[in-house]
Amino acid sequence: MMNVTVLVDYMGRNYTTNVLAQRDTDESTIMQMAYEQVRKQWTTIK
């Protein structure tokens, strides 16, 4: 496992999040995981 810090653009704002992923995970999958983390965080706050 590795910890990857990702900058995500969500609704016109930039958010930094960390993603835990296997070493062989491709970049697009990591970006999707990061986007989903940010989306879930902001949709549950409302």
Side-chain angles (χ1 to χ4, degrees), residues 22-43:
Q22 296 291 333
R23 291 197 178 274
D24 59 346
T25 306
D26 62 296
E27 186 177 338
S28 62
T29 303
I30 292 172
M31 291 299 293
Q32 183 64 35
M33 291 167 61
Y35 181 84
E36 287 300 316
Q37 281 183 191
V38 172
R39 185 189 62 79
K40 284 179 183 178
Q41 179 180 4
W42 284 105
T43 56

